[in-house]
Amino acid sequence: MQIVDHRLKPGWYKASPHHGGALEAPSLLVMHFTVSGAGAKGVADYFVSPTANASAHVVVGRDGDVRQVVPFNVKAWHAGRSVWRGRPNCNDYAIGIEIDNWGRLMRTADGQVRSSTSRILDPALAVEMTHKNETRPCLWEVYGETQMSALVAVTRAILAAYPTITEIVGHDDISPGRKSDPGPAFPMGRFVSLVG
Ligand SMILES: [Zn+2]
């Protein structure tokens, strides 16, 4: 996988109408989860729809499917109110990747594991961990290896094409308290070492 003319190749691309102006010399990569089971195409279709009012550059599905909706030289609307190392509005200098994942899960009284939208999930997908910005453990959806492999490939391509990027952070680093993605189930340390 490589980036040609600010798009992943080979790759699926559809333009989202929800974006800002030129993104020049991005310095940050921001990881998100979608809170969804829609798959990369479902999430990408949402970002392309007229009412979304949000976007990211790329969406990575659980099955490794990769969809791009904003070119990497254009600002996407993924971070919202945010600050990193004293610099506000991370959308102005960050590339954003959405990872399809339910995030926080619930266990019901009868032992079922459910998403925040009450979808019943395989209990094997849930891991109990404490978010670094919180004090109590809760359940989170595990990130599978197929998805992680695709994410590593996409990220390596991005870092190769945009050497101005010097840091990889979570949305929960740039909007702490307001956002909890990609959450404690995301293996940030292993991911950063894999992408070099
Ligand atoms: Zn996010």
Side-chain angles (χ1 to χ4, degrees):
M1 189 175 278
Q2 57 177 330
I3 293 171
V4 179
D5 198 19
H6 307 289
R7 293 190 201 175
L8 287 164
K9 298 282 161 90
W12 180 102
Y13 174 84
K14 219 182 219 182
S16 168
H18 313 291
H19 60 79
L23 175 60
E24 285 162 15
S27 58
L28 196 63
L29 190 61
V30 180
M31 315 306 293
H32 303 263
F33 59 47
T34 56
V35 193
S36 139
K41 183 172 186 306
V43 175
D45 284 344
Y46 168 71
F47 284 149
V48 168
S49 69
T51 52
N53 212 29
S55 62
H57 290 91
V58 175
V59 188
V60 178
R62 293 171 181 78
D63 58 358
D65 188 20
V66 175
R67 309 270 168 161
Q68 183 173 4
V69 295
V70 178
F72 295 116
N73 63 338
V74 171
K75 293 171 186 174
W77 292 348
H78 55 98
R81 198 170 69 253
S82 53
V83 59
W84 183 243
R85 299 198 187 284
R87 199 175 163 196
N89 303 319
C90 296
N91 286 342
D92 289 345
Y93 56 94
I95 287 175
I97 300 180
E98 288 278 357
I99 316 165
D100 203 24
N101 179 284
W102 283 113
R104 207 181 294 267
L105 305 175
M106 304 171 281
R107 196 186 301 279
T108 59
D110 57 356
Q112 286 181 333
V113 170
R114 291 180 181 242
S115 73
S116 54
T117 59
S118 294
R119 187 183 296 194
I120 297 169
L121 303 175
D122 177 356
L125 295 175
V127 61
E128 188 175 64
M129 298 180 86
T130 302
H131 193 286
K132 61 186 174 186
N133 299 340
E134 299 171 10
T135 54
R136 289 184 188 174
C138 77
L139 291 181
W140 303 84
E141 184 185 353
V142 168
Y143 292 86
E145 286 308 311
T146 303
Q147 187 173 40
M148 288 303 296
S149 297
L151 191 59
V152 166
V154 168
T155 303
R156 282 180 177 158
I158 291 172
L159 295 179
Y162 304 98
T164 50
I165 296 174
T166 54
E167 286 185 286
I168 302 174
V169 297
H171 202 178
D172 47 12
D173 293 311
I174 62 172
S175 304
R178 190 173 73 83
K179 292 290 179 179
S180 58
D181 55 322
F186 185 73
M188 184 63 94
R190 180 164 71 92
F191 175 68
V192 169
S193 68
L194 281 172
V195 298

